[in-house]
Amino acid sequence: MTLLADAADPAVHRGRILSFLSDPGDATDAASYRYFADGALIVENGRIAALGPADSVLAQLPIGIQVADHGDNLLLPGFIDNHIHYTQSDVIAAGGRQLLDWLQDYTFVEEARFGDPQHARAVAEFFLDELARHGTTTALVFCTVHPESVDAFFGAAERRRLRMIAGKVLMDRNAPGGLCDTPERSDRESRALLERWHGKDRLHYAITPRFAVTSSEAQLRVAGRLARDFPDAFIHSHLAETHGEIDWVRRLFPTSRSYLDVYDGHGLLRERAIYAHCIHLDAQDRARMAESGAAAAFCPTSNLYLGSGLFDIAAADAAGMRFSTATDVGGGSSFSLLRTLDEARKVARLQGQDLAPLRAFYLATLGAARCLRLEDRIGRLEVGAEADFIVLDLKATELIARRTAAARTLSDVLRILMTLGDDRAVKATYILGRQVHGEPAATATITPVAS
Ligand code: GUN
Ligand code: ZN
């Protein structure tokens, strides 16, 4: 094994290691995950080359190798945020009462600034710094209608070697003139951006009609044609977030059975299609989501901030519908997936349901990767997977230290982290094995075993 002995970052990491194999649901047994209380992983050429109990992994290494020793802290796959707007980084905590006036009064005003490439680049860099600080290593990202906003985002993500998914927003009505394109322009600009960015290094393109309210029939037909022409591209939009929006969609598309049916009728339901919110769906919609392979992004901080409603986990499960957790910054109020998991659990509790800690961490890692159909590369710590991982600090605050010291099970530790944790709990973030956030870990050198 050739280790990156001359690279700045250690190639060997020791600590607690957790990675999921399947959806734990409410179960607490170990069948759905792998957990090493004292584990080690080795990174080679940006991928995980070995993983297991520290004593057996370290025994294979030559004497003198440096090991990053994370002590009691927890190594996890990087968080995956399946719905976020980088162009709304400066909208978090804005006023507004509910979705439609929040969009008009705050969000569209801010998004109008993204025709300026310099502004777009500066916000993209801030946004990606925030993701790293919060332990998010992949995201499905809304840009704005301006191609400049997409170039700025992908350029910044490419320089950081991130696995990121994004696209130009398609909107041609019911929004300020400066934010509207036309069906012809959305086709031409999306194709040019797809050719430029889709499949470049770790980047993927998402065909991004904002929501049915802001797209004409003609523009949705363009989106459907793009989806047909680029079968491995992502589709990213909003769906059934508020009653006001649903009433408007009903008036705009009177022949469609439901809001979902508008997208379905334009060929926009399939694997790799992610719809944010999916709160007010009926049983037929949920069954159709499940059958098509499309997935929902459950955005609890946004749904609570804007008072949109409560995502129904039990109904999604009963229908076999895929979903994962997402922040929806800036309707959402935090970049932190830990804060998001806490709010997701509260949304469940308000409906007499639950979100067990193991399942919560699954949804933010492997579950999200599965919604994206990227689970062969990200969302898990396994040999061959890309080495995007984070280290969570079990002593991040006095209270977290006190509570984790008393924890008896892995579920206890995870519940404490998701209830009390935020960016302070993210001690380090690694992309392809390279540290991009946090202080370097203490290192130890492998020494000969005393005989
Ligand atoms: N629906 C259409 N656009 C948006 C948006 O920017 N944020 C949210 N939360 N919902 C939307
Ligand atoms: Zn959104």
Coordinates of all heavy atoms in Angstrom, one line a residue, residues 356-424:
A356 N -36.0 8.3 15.2 CA -35.0 7.8 16.0 C -33.6 8.3 15.6 O -33.4 8.6 14.4 CB -35.0 6.2 15.9
P357 N -32.7 8.5 16.6 CA -31.4 9.1 16.3 C -30.6 8.4 15.2 O -30.0 9.0 14.3 CB -30.6 9.0 17.6 CG -31.7 8.9 18.6 CD -32.8 8.2 18.0
L358 N -30.6 7.1 15.2 CA -29.9 6.4 14.1 C -30.5 6.7 12.8 O -29.8 7.0 11.8 CB -30.0 4.8 14.3 CG -29.0 4.3 15.4 CD1 -29.5 2.9 15.8 CD2 -27.6 4.3 15.0
R359 N -31.8 6.7 12.7 CA -32.4 7.0 11.4 C -32.1 8.5 11.0 O -31.9 8.7 9.8 CB -34.0 6.8 11.5 CG -34.5 6.9 10.1 CD -36.0 6.6 10.0 NE -36.3 6.2 8.7 CZ -37.6 6.3 8.1 NH1 -38.6 6.7 8.9 NH2 -37.8 5.9 6.9
A360 N -32.1 9.4 11.9 CA -31.9 10.8 11.6 C -30.5 10.9 10.9 O -30.4 11.5 9.9 CB -31.9 11.6 12.9
F361 N -29.5 10.3 11.5 CA -28.1 10.4 11.0 C -28.0 9.6 9.6 O -27.3 10.0 8.7 CB -27.1 9.9 12.0 CG -26.7 11.0 12.9 CD1 -27.5 11.2 14.0 CD2 -25.6 11.8 12.8 CE1 -27.2 12.3 14.9 CE2 -25.3 12.8 13.7 CZ -26.1 13.0 14.8
Y362 N -28.8 8.5 9.5 CA -28.9 7.9 8.2 C -29.4 8.8 7.1 O -28.9 8.9 6.0 CB -29.8 6.6 8.3 CG -30.3 6.1 7.0 CD1 -29.4 5.3 6.2 CD2 -31.5 6.4 6.5 CE1 -29.9 4.8 5.0 CE2 -32.0 6.0 5.3 CZ -31.1 5.1 4.5 OH -31.6 4.7 3.3
L363 N -30.5 9.5 7.5 CA -31.2 10.4 6.5 C -30.2 11.5 6.0 O -30.3 12.0 4.9 CB -32.4 11.1 7.1 CG -33.6 10.1 7.3 CD1 -34.7 10.9 8.0 CD2 -34.1 9.5 6.0
A364 N -29.3 12.0 6.9 CA -28.4 13.1 6.5 C -27.2 12.6 5.8 O -26.3 13.4 5.4 CB -28.0 13.8 7.8
T365 N -27.0 11.2 5.7 CA -25.8 10.7 5.1 C -26.2 9.7 4.0 O -26.5 10.1 2.8 CB -24.9 10.0 6.1 OG1 -25.6 9.0 6.8 CG2 -24.3 11.1 7.1
L366 N -26.2 8.4 4.3 CA -26.5 7.4 3.2 C -27.9 7.6 2.6 O -28.1 7.4 1.4 CB -26.3 6.0 3.8 CG -26.6 4.9 2.8 CD1 -25.6 4.9 1.6 CD2 -26.6 3.5 3.5
G367 N -28.9 7.9 3.5 CA -30.3 8.1 2.9 C -30.3 9.2 1.9 O -31.0 9.1 0.8
A368 N -29.6 10.3 2.1 CA -29.6 11.4 1.2 C -28.8 11.0 -0.1 O -29.3 11.3 -1.2 CB -28.9 12.6 1.8
A369 N -27.7 10.2 0.1 CA -27.0 9.8 -1.1 C -27.8 8.8 -2.0 O -27.8 8.9 -3.2 CB -25.7 9.0 -0.6
R370 N -28.7 8.0 -1.3 CA -29.5 7.1 -2.0 C -30.6 7.9 -2.8 O -31.0 7.5 -3.9 CB -30.2 6.1 -1.1 CG -29.3 5.0 -0.7 CD -30.0 4.1 0.2 NE -29.3 2.8 0.3 CZ -29.6 1.8 1.2 NH1 -30.7 2.0 1.9 NH2 -28.9 0.7 1.2
C371 N -31.1 9.0 -2.2 CA -32.1 9.8 -3.0 C -31.5 10.3 -4.2 O -32.1 10.5 -5.3 CB -32.6 10.9 -2.1 SG -33.7 10.4 -0.8
L372 N -30.2 10.6 -4.2 CA -29.4 11.2 -5.3 C -28.9 10.1 -6.3 O -28.4 10.4 -7.3 CB -28.2 12.0 -4.8 CG -28.5 13.2 -3.9 CD1 -27.2 13.8 -3.4 CD2 -29.3 14.3 -4.7
R373 N -29.0 8.8 -5.8 CA -28.4 7.7 -6.6 C -26.9 7.9 -6.7 O -26.3 7.7 -7.8 CB -29.0 7.6 -8.0 CG -30.2 6.6 -8.1 CD -31.3 6.9 -7.3 NE -32.3 5.8 -7.5 CZ -33.6 5.9 -7.0 NH1 -33.9 6.9 -6.2 NH2 -34.4 4.9 -7.2
L374 N -26.3 8.4 -5.6 CA -24.8 8.6 -5.6 C -24.2 7.7 -4.5 O -23.1 8.0 -4.1 CB -24.5 10.0 -5.4 CG -24.8 11.0 -6.6 CD1 -24.5 12.4 -6.2 CD2 -23.9 10.6 -7.8
E375 N -25.0 6.7 -4.0 CA -24.5 6.0 -2.8 C -23.3 5.1 -3.1 O -22.6 4.7 -2.1 CB -25.6 5.2 -2.2 CG -26.1 4.0 -3.0 CD -27.2 4.3 -4.0 OE1 -27.3 5.5 -4.4 OE2 -28.0 3.4 -4.4
D376 N -22.9 4.9 -4.3 CA -21.7 4.2 -4.6 C -20.5 5.1 -4.4 O -19.4 4.5 -4.3 CB -21.7 3.6 -6.1 CG -21.9 4.8 -7.1 OD1 -22.5 5.8 -6.7 OD2 -21.3 4.6 -8.2
R377 N -20.7 6.4 -4.3 CA -19.5 7.3 -4.1 C -19.5 8.0 -2.8 O -18.4 8.3 -2.2 CB -19.5 8.3 -5.2 CG -19.5 7.7 -6.6 CD -19.5 8.8 -7.7 NE -20.3 8.3 -8.8 CZ -20.5 9.0 -9.9 NH1 -19.9 10.1 -10.1 NH2 -21.2 8.5 -10.9
I378 N -20.6 8.5 -2.3 CA -20.7 9.3 -1.1 C -21.7 8.8 -0.1 O -22.5 7.9 -0.5 CB -21.0 10.8 -1.5 CG1 -22.3 10.9 -2.3 CG2 -19.9 11.4 -2.3 CD1 -22.8 12.3 -2.4
G379 N -21.7 9.3 1.1 CA -22.7 9.0 2.1 C -22.4 7.8 2.9 O -23.2 7.5 3.8
R380 N -21.2 7.2 2.7 CA -20.9 6.0 3.5 C -19.4 5.9 3.6 O -18.7 6.4 2.7 CB -21.5 4.8 3.0 CG -21.0 4.4 1.6 CD -22.0 3.5 0.9 NE -21.4 3.3 -0.4 CZ -20.7 2.2 -0.7 NH1 -20.5 1.3 0.1 NH2 -20.1 2.1 -1.9
L381 N -18.9 5.3 4.7 CA -17.5 5.1 4.8 C -17.3 3.6 4.6 O -17.6 2.8 5.4 CB -17.0 5.5 6.2 CG -17.2 7.0 6.6 CD1 -16.8 7.3 8.0 CD2 -16.5 7.9 5.6
E382 N -16.8 3.3 3.4 CA -16.6 1.9 2.9 C -15.4 1.9 2.0 O -15.1 3.0 1.4 CB -17.8 1.4 2.1 CG -19.0 1.1 2.9 CD -18.9 0.0 3.9 OE1 -18.1 -0.9 3.7 OE2 -19.6 0.0 4.9
V383 N -14.7 0.8 1.9 CA -13.6 0.8 1.0 C -14.1 1.1 -0.4 O -15.1 0.6 -0.9 CB -12.9 -0.6 1.0 CG1 -11.9 -0.8 -0.1 CG2 -12.3 -0.9 2.4
G384 N -13.4 2.0 -1.1 CA -13.8 2.4 -2.4 C -14.6 3.7 -2.5 O -14.6 4.4 -3.5
A385 N -15.2 4.1 -1.4 CA -16.0 5.3 -1.4 C -15.1 6.5 -1.3 O -13.9 6.4 -0.9 CB -16.9 5.3 -0.2
E386 N -15.6 7.7 -1.8 CA -14.8 8.9 -1.7 C -14.7 9.3 -0.3 O -15.6 9.2 0.5 CB -15.5 10.0 -2.6 CG -15.5 9.6 -4.1 CD -16.4 10.5 -4.9 OE1 -17.2 11.3 -4.4 OE2 -16.4 10.3 -6.2
A387 N -13.5 9.8 0.0 CA -13.1 10.1 1.4 C -13.6 11.5 1.8 O -12.8 12.4 2.2 CB -11.6 9.9 1.7
D388 N -14.9 11.8 1.8 CA -15.5 13.0 2.3 C -16.1 12.6 3.7 O -17.1 11.9 3.7 CB -16.7 13.5 1.4 CG -16.2 14.0 0.0 OD1 -15.0 14.1 -0.2 OD2 -17.1 14.3 -0.8
F389 N -15.4 13.1 4.7 CA -15.9 12.7 6.0 C -15.7 13.8 7.0 O -15.0 14.8 6.8 CB -15.3 11.4 6.5 CG -13.8 11.4 6.7 CD1 -13.2 11.7 7.9 CD2 -12.9 11.2 5.6 CE1 -11.8 11.8 8.0 CE2 -11.5 11.2 5.7 CZ -11.0 11.5 7.0
I390 N -16.4 13.7 8.2 CA -16.4 14.7 9.2 C -16.0 14.1 10.5 O -16.2 12.9 10.7 CB -17.7 15.5 9.3 CG1 -18.9 14.6 9.6 CG2 -18.0 16.2 8.0 CD1 -20.2 15.3 9.8
V391 N -15.6 14.9 11.5 CA -15.4 14.5 12.8 C -16.3 15.3 13.8 O -16.2 16.6 13.8 CB -13.9 14.7 13.2 CG1 -13.6 14.2 14.6 CG2 -13.0 14.1 12.2
L392 N -17.1 14.6 14.5 CA -18.0 15.3 15.4 C -17.4 15.2 16.8 O -16.9 14.2 17.3 CB -19.4 14.7 15.4 CG -20.2 14.9 14.1 CD1 -21.6 14.4 14.3 CD2 -20.2 16.3 13.6
D393 N -17.4 16.4 17.5 CA -16.8 16.5 18.8 C -17.7 16.2 20.0 O -18.7 17.0 20.2 CB -16.3 18.0 18.9 CG -15.5 18.3 20.1 OD1 -15.4 17.4 21.0 OD2 -14.9 19.4 20.2
L394 N -17.4 15.1 20.7 CA -18.3 14.7 21.8 C -18.1 15.6 23.0 O -18.9 15.5 24.0 CB -18.1 13.3 22.1 CG -19.0 12.3 21.3 CD1 -18.8 12.4 19.9 CD2 -18.7 10.9 21.8
K395 N -17.2 16.6 22.9 CA -17.0 17.5 24.0 C -17.2 19.0 23.5 O -16.5 19.9 24.0 CB -15.6 17.3 24.7 CG -15.4 15.9 25.2 CD -14.1 15.9 26.0 CE -13.8 14.5 26.6 NZ -13.4 13.5 25.6
A396 N -18.0 19.1 22.5 CA -18.0 20.5 21.8 C -18.4 21.6 22.7 O -17.9 22.7 22.6 CB -19.0 20.4 20.6
T397 N -19.3 21.3 23.7 CA -19.7 22.3 24.7 C -19.6 21.6 26.0 O -19.6 20.4 26.1 CB -21.1 22.9 24.4 OG1 -22.0 21.8 24.7 CG2 -21.3 23.4 23.0
E398 N -19.7 22.4 27.1 CA -19.7 21.8 28.4 C -20.9 20.9 28.6 O -20.8 19.8 29.1 CB -19.8 22.9 29.5 CG -18.6 23.9 29.6 CD -17.4 23.2 30.1 OE1 -17.6 22.3 31.0 OE2 -16.3 23.4 29.7
L399 N -22.0 21.3 28.1 CA -23.2 20.5 28.2 C -23.1 19.2 27.4 O -23.5 18.1 27.9 CB -24.4 21.3 27.8 CG -25.8 20.6 28.0 CD1 -26.0 20.2 29.4 CD2 -26.9 21.6 27.5
I400 N -22.6 19.3 26.2 CA -22.5 18.1 25.3 C -21.5 17.1 26.0 O -21.8 15.9 26.0 CB -22.1 18.5 23.9 CG1 -23.2 19.2 23.2 CG2 -21.7 17.2 23.1 CD1 -22.9 19.8 21.8
A401 N -20.4 17.7 26.5 CA -19.4 16.8 27.2 C -20.1 16.1 28.4 O -19.9 14.9 28.5 CB -18.2 17.6 27.6
R402 N -20.8 16.8 29.1 CA -21.4 16.3 30.3 C -22.5 15.2 30.0 O -22.5 14.1 30.5 CB -22.1 17.4 31.1 CG -22.7 17.1 32.4 CD -23.3 18.4 33.0 NE -24.1 18.1 34.2 CZ -23.5 18.1 35.4 NH1 -22.2 18.4 35.6 NH2 -24.2 17.8 36.5
R403 N -23.2 15.5 28.9 CA -24.3 14.5 28.5 C -23.7 13.3 27.8 O -24.2 12.2 28.0 CB -25.3 15.2 27.6 CG -26.1 16.3 28.4 CD -27.1 15.8 29.4 NE -28.2 15.0 28.8 CZ -28.4 13.7 29.0 NH1 -27.6 13.0 29.8 NH2 -29.4 13.1 28.4
T404 N -22.7 13.5 26.9 CA -22.1 12.3 26.2 C -21.3 11.4 27.2 O -21.3 10.2 27.0 CB -21.3 12.7 25.0 OG1 -20.2 13.6 25.5 CG2 -22.1 13.3 23.9
A405 N -20.8 12.1 28.3 CA -20.0 11.2 29.3 C -21.0 10.3 29.9 O -20.6 9.2 30.4 CB -19.4 12.2 30.3
A406 N -22.3 10.6 30.0 CA -23.2 9.8 30.7 C -24.0 8.9 29.7 O -24.8 8.1 30.1 CB -24.2 10.6 31.5
A407 N -23.7 9.0 28.4 CA -24.4 8.2 27.4 C -24.1 6.7 27.5 O -22.9 6.4 27.7 CB -24.1 8.7 26.0
R408 N -25.1 5.9 27.4 CA -24.8 4.4 27.5 C -24.8 3.8 26.1 O -24.1 2.8 26.0 CB -25.9 3.8 28.4 CG -25.8 4.2 29.8 CD -26.4 3.1 30.7 NE -27.7 2.8 30.3 CZ -28.9 3.3 30.7 NH1 -28.8 4.3 31.6 NH2 -30.0 3.0 30.2
T409 N -25.4 4.3 25.2 CA -25.5 3.6 23.9 C -25.1 4.6 22.7 O -25.1 5.8 22.9 CB -26.9 3.1 23.6 OG1 -27.8 4.3 23.5 CG2 -27.5 2.2 24.7
L410 N -24.9 4.0 21.6 CA -24.6 4.9 20.4 C -25.8 5.8 20.1 O -25.6 7.0 19.8 CB -24.3 4.0 19.2 CG -24.1 4.7 17.9 CD1 -22.9 5.6 17.9 CD2 -23.9 3.7 16.7
S411 N -27.0 5.3 20.2 CA -28.2 6.1 20.0 C -28.2 7.3 21.0 O -28.6 8.4 20.6 CB -29.5 5.3 20.2 OG -29.7 4.4 19.1
D412 N -27.8 7.0 22.2 CA -27.8 8.1 23.2 C -26.8 9.2 22.7 O -27.2 10.4 22.8 CB -27.3 7.7 24.6 CG -28.3 6.8 25.3 OD1 -29.5 6.8 24.9 OD2 -27.9 6.1 26.3
V413 N -25.7 8.8 22.2 CA -24.7 9.8 21.8 C -25.2 10.6 20.6 O -25.1 11.8 20.5 CB -23.4 9.1 21.3 CG1 -22.4 10.1 20.6 CG2 -22.7 8.5 22.6
L414 N -25.9 9.9 19.7 CA -26.4 10.6 18.5 C -27.5 11.5 18.9 O -27.7 12.6 18.3 CB -26.9 9.6 17.4 CG -25.8 8.6 16.9 CD1 -26.4 7.7 15.9 CD2 -24.7 9.4 16.2
R415 N -28.4 11.1 19.8 CA -29.5 12.0 20.2 C -29.0 13.2 20.8 O -29.5 14.3 20.6 CB -30.4 11.2 21.2 CG -31.7 12.0 21.4 CD -32.7 11.4 22.4 NE -32.9 9.9 22.2 CZ -32.3 9.0 22.8 NH1 -31.4 9.2 23.7 NH2 -32.5 7.7 22.5
I416 N -27.9 13.1 21.6 CA -27.3 14.3 22.3 C -26.7 15.2 21.2 O -27.0 16.4 21.3 CB -26.3 13.8 23.3 CG1 -26.9 13.1 24.5 CG2 -25.4 15.0 23.8 CD1 -26.0 12.3 25.3
L417 N -26.0 14.7 20.3 CA -25.4 15.5 19.2 C -26.5 16.2 18.4 O -26.3 17.4 18.0 CB -24.5 14.6 18.3 CG -23.2 14.2 18.9 CD1 -22.5 13.2 18.0 CD2 -22.3 15.4 19.2
M418 N -27.6 15.5 18.0 CA -28.6 16.2 17.2 C -29.4 17.1 18.0 O -30.0 18.1 17.4 CB -29.4 15.2 16.4 CG -30.4 14.3 17.2 SD -31.2 13.0 16.2 CE -32.8 13.8 15.9
T419 N -29.5 17.0 19.3 CA -30.4 17.8 20.1 C -29.6 19.1 20.5 O -30.2 20.2 20.6 CB -30.9 17.1 21.3 OG1 -31.6 15.9 20.9 CG2 -31.9 17.9 22.1
L420 N -28.3 18.9 20.8 CA -27.6 20.0 21.4 C -26.5 20.6 20.4 O -25.9 21.6 20.7 CB -26.9 19.6 22.7 CG -27.8 19.1 23.8 CD1 -26.9 18.5 24.9 CD2 -28.7 20.2 24.3
G421 N -26.3 19.9 19.3 CA -25.2 20.2 18.4 C -25.5 21.2 17.4 O -26.7 21.4 17.0
D422 N -24.5 21.9 16.9 CA -24.6 22.8 15.7 C -23.2 22.8 15.1 O -22.4 21.9 15.3 CB -25.1 24.2 16.2 CG -24.3 24.7 17.4 OD1 -23.1 24.4 17.5 OD2 -24.9 25.5 18.1
D423 N -22.8 24.0 14.5 CA -21.4 24.0 13.9 C -20.3 23.8 14.9 O -19.2 23.4 14.5 CB -21.3 25.3 13.1 CG -21.6 26.6 13.9 OD1 -22.6 26.5 14.7 OD2 -20.8 27.5 13.8
R424 N -20.6 24.1 16.2 CA -19.5 23.9 17.2 C -19.1 22.5 17.3 O -18.0 22.1 17.8 CB -19.9 24.5 18.5 CG -20.1 26.0 18.6 CD -20.8 26.4 19.8 NE -22.1 26.0 19.9 CZ -22.9 26.1 21.0 NH1 -22.5 26.8 22.0 NH2 -24.2 25.7 20.9

